[in-house]
Amino acid sequence: QKEVEQDPGPLSVPEGAIVSLNCTYSNSAFQYFMWYRQYSRKGPELLMYTYSSGNKEDGRFTAQVDKSSKYISLFIRDSQPSDSATYLCAIQGAQKLVFGQGTRLTINP
Amino acid sequence: NAGVMQNPRHLVRRRGQEARLRCSPMKGHSHVYWYRQLPEEGLKFMVYLQKENIIDESGMPKERFSAEFPKEGPSILRIQQVVRGDSAAYFCASSLLIQKREVSTGELFFGEGSRLTVL
């Protein structure tokens, strides 16, 4: 079983739609949960960072963590074409980040 | 304030040659990570280094791959006798480690990656 599972998509939605991206993980010892965004041919950049179960909001983005289900989500409201990218969940292991496969998202104008 | 600098951005090698990828971390960062990304796949951890020390190399192939982060100069990821399966994007990241509760963590800042093509 992979430590972090993420549906690779691709996911294509119209502009303005609400997007839901999800990951599951297997190790209950993981404590820090992150979402990175990666544009084509670029390095990943940190989007959101959470520690505890619950929701964290930053503008149009909401990160949600459910430790009891080992499930994390990223919601994007009022999606824009500029949100088109690959979104990777990342979970803090002992001394390194473990990444999901990444979901390729396209927002169509 | 320069970010993580990686070079070369693109590297082409023939089978059997050596590839050297360099990474200069962000100013003040003493922790460097190397990840490999194959097409349509996520980032796979390779190695975590601090200055002059390899902390975790559990993701490094046992043969042909090595990494170092000397006291002076950039971190180097070295691949000897490259094979076609080594073709990938190699990303370096650096962090300023923060001790929070019982866990050491810190945001990783990634470089733009080095894309290796093996012919």
Side-chain angles (χ1 to χ4, degrees), chain A residues 31-36 46-52 55-58 61-65 74 90 92 97, chain B residues 96-101 103-108:
Chain A
Q31 297 191 40
Y32 289 89
F33 308 92
M34 304 165 195
W35 286 93
Y36 279 77
L46 183 66
L47 197 58
M48 300 280 289
Y49 179 114
T50 59
Y51 170 72
S52 57
N55 293 350
K56 181 176 181 179
E57 194 172 312
D58 184 1
F61 298 87
T62 300
Q64 191 174 80
V65 175
L74 178 70
Q92 178 80 35
L97 284 188
Chain B
L96 183 62
L97 206 65
I98 301 166
Q99 189 72 29
K100 285 187 176 180
R101 297 182 176 87
V103 178
S104 298
T105 187
E107 178 181 351
L108 292 191

Side-chain angles (χ1 to χ4, degrees), chain B residues 37-105:
Chain B
Q37 187 173 41
L38 293 168
E40 309 303 322
E41 291 191 18
L43 292 155
K44 302 295 185 187
F45 169 78
M46 298 182 74
V47 62
Y48 163 37
L49 311 105
Q50 294 178 22
K51 285 281 187 180
E52 300 184 281
N53 284 307
I54 296 175
I55 306 302
D56 183 346
E57 56 181 348
S58 58
M60 286 274 275
K62 293 290 185 286
E63 296 177 352
R64 302 188 298 109
F65 284 72
S66 63
E68 62 176 8
F69 188 17
K71 187 177 180 180
E72 301 291 336
S75 175
I76 306 285
L77 179 67
R78 182 183 178 204
I79 311 172
Q80 295 178 290
Q81 299 172 8
V82 297
V83 300
R84 288 213 174 110
D86 297 333
S87 296
Y90 292 84
F91 287 95
C92 170
S94 72
S95 78
L96 183 62
L97 206 65
I98 301 166
Q99 189 72 29
K100 285 187 176 180
R101 297 182 176 87
E102 293 76 37
V103 178
S104 298
T105 187

Side-chain angles (χ1 to χ4, degrees), chain B residues 3-34:
Chain B
V4 177
M5 304 300 292
Q6 288 189 251
N7 68 81
R9 291 292 309 278
H10 301 275
L11 183 63
V12 179
R13 286 287 180 265
R14 296 190 181 278
R15 281 179 296 170
Q17 292 184 318
E18 178 179 288
R20 281 189 181 227
L21 309 177
R22 288 176 290 278
C23 169
S24 296
M26 283 185 71
K27 188 176 181 180
H29 287 189
S30 58
H31 303 265
V32 165
Y33 303 76
W34 285 93

Side-chain angles (χ1 to χ4, degrees), chain A residues 60-74:
Chain A
R60 297 185 293 109
F61 298 87
T62 300
Q64 191 174 80
V65 175
D66 182 348
K67 287 187 175 181
S68 62
S69 302
K70 301 191 187 72
Y71 193 86
I72 65 173
S73 301
L74 178 70

